Amino acid sequence: MTENALKTYKHESKPSAKSIVAKTAIYLGLILFALWILIPFYIVVITSFKTRIEAQSPEFTLWPKDGFHWDGYIEVLGYKAGYSSIPVVWLGLLNTLLIVLPPTVIGLFTSSLAAYAFAKLRFKSKNFLFSVLLATMMIPGTIMLTPSYLLYDKIYWTGTAFPLMIPGMFGAAACVFFMRQFYMGIPTDLIEAAKLDGMGYFGIFFKIMVPLSVPALLAQGILGFIGGYNDYFGPYLYLTDPTMYTLQIALNSFQGTYASKWPTMMAGAVCALIPTLLIYILAQKYFIQGIATAGMKL
């Protein structure tokens, strides 16, 4: 490399003042946004370990003065209502898993199957049907709330978990759109070669599309599970039997019993957050990979 070329390279590689200011502003914004999210979370966690008197004190402390106390967690995990011999939290968690897991798994399968059809199969009015599917995403859920409730009540589904489970098993438009973008990135030549080898549509889906889309499927599965796990209004509207309450509804019952016990209330919020937090930590790599590779050529 000549001397002039070396000088030119050093000059071009040296960051300008404008880029430094831009990066500084970006990182500052990210730090402020992270603090905006983490500070309330920290307040909830640290309050759950305080005594009742300290938690209700007008003066907030960043650290428990009297050390960490586990009374809030003991009360939350051991609280039993009159309708069940199982603690409310554990019964709510079990009900949540029974209600959320089937539509998450089956709905993910049906969504990915529809996405495969929209991405790789040829059939009449494919683009029109896909446009109609996307149009359904523009309809607010509150508009369909009353007709849906009247329909479920007419077929005697209210008071059961069916309205929370059955519709989700037919897939979700957002999941279909996301998976279609992922499948569009898989080379069509690979599918044509499989057809020449005598492989059918379902064989191509299960042996080629699914193995290549595991990160995307996991990402959508996590999003679907968290959405159902955090759902409050749906279970509150359709479930009438206390023994069927999900975790979010069960925790709401603490407001009457432990309304004045802030550590117990905060401990309940932390317990409800732990399952989703563990899922994200364990599947973080696949979640980020599935989101990052959507729409990319594989």
Side-chain angles (χ1 to χ4, degrees):
M1 184 179 292
T2 63
E3 184 177 352
N4 292 334
L6 183 61
K7 290 181 180 180
T8 303
Y9 173 77
K10 290 182 178 179
H11 176 73
E12 293 178 351
S13 61
K14 184 179 180 180
S16 62
K18 185 178 180 180
S19 64
I20 294 176
V21 172
K23 288 183 178 180
T24 303
I26 292 173
Y27 281 109
L28 182 61
L30 291 174
I31 291 173
L32 292 176
F33 182 76
L35 291 176
W36 181 269
I37 299 297
L38 293 177
I39 288 177
F41 176 71
Y42 174 79
I43 293 174
V44 170
V45 173
I46 206 66
T47 303
S48 67
F49 290 105
K50 293 181 179 180
T51 61
R52 178 180 176 183
I53 297 176
E54 185 179 359
Q56 294 179 331
S57 175
E59 180 184 357
F60 177 77
T61 55
L62 296 175
W63 202 256
K65 294 180 180 179
D66 302 326
F68 287 82
H69 292 263
W70 297 85
D71 297 341
Y73 290 92
I74 294 174
E75 287 183 328
V76 166
L77 297 177
Y79 171 70
K80 297 180 181 179
Y83 53 80
S84 176
S85 59
I86 304 176
V88 170
V89 169
W90 298 110
L91 180 61
L93 179 60
L94 178 62
N95 290 334
T96 300
L97 295 178
L98 292 176
I99 292 175
V100 174
L101 283 179
T104 299
V105 176
I106 299 176
L108 185 62
F109 169 73
T110 54
S111 296
S112 59
L113 200 61
Y116 163 62
F118 281 122
K120 297 301 181 182
L121 301 187
R122 298 177 182 176
F123 55 91
K124 189 177 181 179
S125 303
K126 180 176 72 171
N127 294 332
F128 172 75
L129 293 175
F130 186 68
S131 299
V132 172
L133 178 70
L134 294 182
T136 61
M137 299 173 59
M138 305 296 111
I139 304 175
T142 53
I143 295 179
M144 303 301 298
L145 182 62
T146 301
S148 298
Y149 183 84
L150 293 176
L151 173 63
Y152 296 141
D153 186 61
K154 196 71 174 178
I155 59 178
Y156 305 103
W157 276 13
T158 53
T160 69
F162 290 147
L164 306 174
M165 299 176 64
I166 303 301
M169 294 182 180
F170 291 93
C175 184
V176 173
F177 172 75
F178 180 90
M179 293 305 303
R180 175 186 177 273
Q181 297 303 110
F182 189 93
Y183 289 149
M184 291 288 288
I186 297 178
T188 306
D189 295 340
L190 185 63
I191 297 183
E192 296 297 332
K195 289 181 180 179
L196 293 176
D197 290 338
M199 191 176 295
Y201 291 123
F202 284 99
I204 293 173
F205 176 74
F206 285 109
K207 295 183 179 180
I208 296 178
M209 308 301 284
V210 171
L212 291 176
S213 60
V214 169
L217 291 172
L218 287 176
Q220 289 302 301
I222 292 172
L223 291 175
F225 176 82
I226 292 177
Y229 181 87
N230 291 327
D231 185 20
Y232 176 83
F233 189 71
Y236 182 78
L237 181 64
Y238 292 111
L239 300 180
T240 56
D241 186 358
T243 59
M244 298 177 61
Y245 283 169
T246 59
L247 182 59
Q248 308 301 330
I249 305 298
L251 289 176
N252 186 52
S253 65
F254 289 174
Q255 293 184 3
T257 307
Y258 301 109
S260 60
K261 296 183 179 181
W262 284 104
T264 305
M265 297 291 292
M266 297 300 108
V270 173
C271 291
L273 181 63
I274 288 177
T276 55
L277 193 61
L278 288 176
I279 290 174
Y280 178 75
I281 292 175
L282 295 175
Q284 181 181 10
K285 181 180 69 173
Y286 300 102
F287 180 79
I288 296 176
Q289 183 180 356
I291 296 295
T293 55
M296 296 175 60
K297 287 290 183 180
L298 301 180

